[in-house]
Amino acid sequence: MTSLSPVSPYDNLSPVAQAAYRARGAAATLAPLPRAAKDDALLAIADALEVRTAEIVEANAKDTARAREAGTSESIVDRLTLTPERVRAIAADVRDVAALPDPVGEVVRGSTLPNGIDLRQVRVPLGVVGIIYEARPNVTVDAAALCLKSGNAVLLRGSSSAYESNTALVRVLRDAVHGAGLPADAVQLVPGESRDSVRELMRARGLVDVLIPRGGASLIKTVVEESIVPVIETGTGNCHVYVDAAADLDMAVEILINSKAQRPSVCNAAETLLVHKDIADAFLPRALDALTEAGVTVHADERVLTYADGSKATVVPATTEDWETEYLSYDIAAGVVDTLEQAVEHIRLWTSGHTEAIVTTSQQAARRFTQLVDSTTVAVNASTRFTDGGQFGFGAEIGISTQKLHARGPMGLPELTSTKYIVTGDGHVR
């Protein structure tokens, strides 16, 4: 009788597939771990980031220098840059994640059935999570921390523009995780810098449980359309600020400038301003002056252009493309609308489904706007910049999902879990 002998899963496999196999093994180890073991690893990561900040910043400097030499825009270079202050902030985010409740094992619902069977639906890790992302090396740490806390192994595929930074960060992460007694392969950088490794990751169905793309529209479109691994789509941020007829002008100016100029290179920055015609005379001259002072170029419709005459505002005529553009820069499209419903119609036509804000003192207008606008987040008298896992109290976020299945909006720990049913009987048969 022939006995079964184990066959090495690594035989004749590519480096990407080998990494995925190792990740599956690590995920199996992580899934049943108690919270304390995962939190200890996260705290070790936070400490290691601070201790090895100089190493990380030095590697990052190579990426930023190469980006500037290639003529990369300053908004993208800003996304790429790691300073000691930013590394400390990332470490603080990791500690915040450690302090959050562990979603694994949470009973979503449960009951005793009429036949006496105990039925529970509980949260479980997704397994192996692949992240494909551009530029921002902070995503490397955020993704790793959230995946570890939720019991998942993570395969990180950053862009070549951040290769040195990501390599240094993953080296720090793996050392810390291993030192805390967890498998280092719970955090891996996908081998290879070419697009071939991305394509292979997108086809690793059965090895990778889910892919999450983070980046520009082109990257997200490619992953969604070409991946055979299930994808959680994180969308671009064509976010709108609508200033209602009943708006407080001082508040409206402050929210507009914060939404657009506080950090224009991120997905929750505002890209379009819509102003009700009844308040345009009072608001737009102030808004144009404030935007110009903040260094913002306004891409204006014909009605907004009339308010730029004789002012020092930096205003250019808007084209159709401006309404659909995620600038990620000191630019904003601006238009005047006749009604709240017209503002909503414009948003429905052009939004990416990320975040829309209304500034108003009218409860009726606020209620109507929140009912009609179908985006992941609708802000009332608040900046679009609040759509963020950290700001929502989720710790770090792994992305902002603009789809409607599985997860929507900022994705924290619960969104990195699935569920399974546990059926407990006492000799029950059907």
Side-chain angles (χ1 to χ4, degrees), residues 136-351:
R136 296 168 63 180
N138 65 294
V139 174
T140 301
V141 182
D142 290 350
L146 287 167
C147 285
L148 283 172
K149 178 78 176 194
S150 53
N152 298 291
V154 64
L155 292 170
L156 299 156
R157 182 48 170 89
S159 59
S160 58
S161 62
Y163 181 78
E164 298 291 342
S165 306
N166 290 335
T167 300
L169 285 168
V170 170
R171 185 165 55 244
V172 172
L173 295 174
R174 287 173 59 86
D175 288 348
V177 168
H178 179 70
L182 272 59
D185 285 334
V187 181
Q188 295 182 72
L189 202 61
V190 174
E193 296 183 66
S194 72
R195 292 179 182 271
D196 290 341
S197 65
V198 178
R199 294 190 190 96
E200 189 173 353
L201 187 62
M202 291 191 295
R203 281 160 174 73
R205 190 178 183 93
L207 293 177
V208 178
D209 293 290
V210 66
L211 283 181
I212 303 174
R214 286 190 62 171
S218 177
L219 168 70
I220 294 167
K221 183 174 184 290
T222 297
V223 176
V224 169
E225 293 182 354
E226 297 185 15
S227 176
I228 64 171
V229 175
V231 175
I232 298 176
E233 181 176 355
T234 60
T236 53
N238 187 10
C239 304
H240 297 72
V241 173
Y242 165 60
V243 180
D244 185 54
D248 177 298
L249 295 186
D250 291 335
M251 179 189 294
V253 170
E254 188 172 358
I255 287 174
L256 170 63
I257 298 304
N258 184 262
S259 296
K260 174 69 260 183
Q262 194 255 351
R263 194 177 180 192
S265 64
V266 292
C267 64
N268 56 18
E271 306 292 20
T272 299
L273 166 67
L274 300 173
V275 181
H276 194 288
K277 65 179 178 61
D278 291 351
I279 206 172
D281 288 347
F283 177 71
L284 275 171
R286 292 184 58 181
L288 292 176
D289 286 346
L291 287 167
T292 299
E293 186 176 343
V296 178
T297 296
V298 179
H299 300 249
D301 74 354
E302 292 181 359
R303 297 163 84 175
V304 174
L305 282 171
T306 63
Y307 293 94
D309 293 343
S311 77
K312 297 180 180 179
T314 306
V315 180
V316 297
T319 66
T320 300
E321 289 73 24
D322 284 310
W323 304 119
E324 65 182 357
T325 298
E326 183 187 27
Y327 295 107
L328 301 175
S329 62
Y330 286 98
D331 294 86
I332 193 168
V336 174
V337 293
D338 294 329
T339 63
L340 180 149
E341 284 72 21
Q342 190 178 28
V344 171
E345 183 180 350
H346 179 100
I347 291 169
R348 282 177 175 170
L349 181 61
W350 299 110
T351 184

Side-chain angles (χ1 to χ4, degrees), residues 240 242 244 274 339-351 353-358 363-380 404 408:
H240 297 72
Y242 165 60
D244 185 54
L274 300 173
T339 63
L340 180 149
E341 284 72 21
Q342 190 178 28
V344 171
E345 183 180 350
H346 179 100
I347 291 169
R348 282 177 175 170
L349 181 61
W350 299 110
T351 184
H354 194 294
T355 301
E356 328 301 344
I358 180 174
Q363 290 187 2
Q364 181 180 2
R367 184 164 54 250
R368 185 72 172 154
F369 190 81
T370 57
Q371 288 173 338
L372 294 178
V373 170
D374 184 22
S375 292
T376 76
T377 306
V378 183
V380 177
K404 297 184 180 182
R408 195 180 192 200

